[in-house]
Amino acid sequence: NFYTMLMEQAPAAQEKAKQVFFGECRTFARAMATDGPYFLGKDISMVDVALFPFWQRFLWVGGYYRDLQMPEDQEFRRLDVWWKAVSERPAFKRTLVCQERLIS
């Protein structure tokens, strides 16, 4: 639904896709462990590795093209804790694509 939101030209369709995307994010956040910053808690896992590049795009591309603002509720605060933890890891930092390249 994120990419649907990007591709849709009609504002109402964009908003509908955005709300579905937010719902999917909340479902994902509710499945996350609470005893650490990563998906499974204290230890990083393949889930974190797999989601990282997509979340980067959700934030940067969505923000640039659709002024996407993540909600400030419990689920999105949990996702923000996760994002801050993974994006500070040296291995993840080395794989970040520069924002200018992503949005060009």
Side-chain angles (χ1 to χ4, degrees), residues 4-70:
T4 300
M5 179 190 67
L6 288 179
M7 300 304 293
E8 283 291 349
Q9 298 303 306
Q14 291 173 7
E15 183 62 26
K16 180 179 178 185
K18 179 175 75 172
Q19 293 308 317
V20 172
F21 170 70
F22 286 165
E24 293 165 345
C25 291
R26 287 183 178 102
T27 298
F28 187 84
R30 285 190 296 270
M32 297 174 97
T34 58
D35 64 337
Y38 305 110
F39 185 82
L40 294 178
K42 296 176 186 166
D43 298 318
I44 198 156
S45 70
M46 287 302 295
V47 175
D48 305 297
V49 173
L51 181 61
F52 178 78
F54 290 98
W55 197 258
Q56 178 190 21
R57 284 156 177 79
F58 298 157
L59 296 175
W60 293 358
V61 175
Y64 182 82
Y65 287 106
R66 292 290 182 251
D67 194 29
L68 182 65
Q69 304 281 325
M70 298 300 183

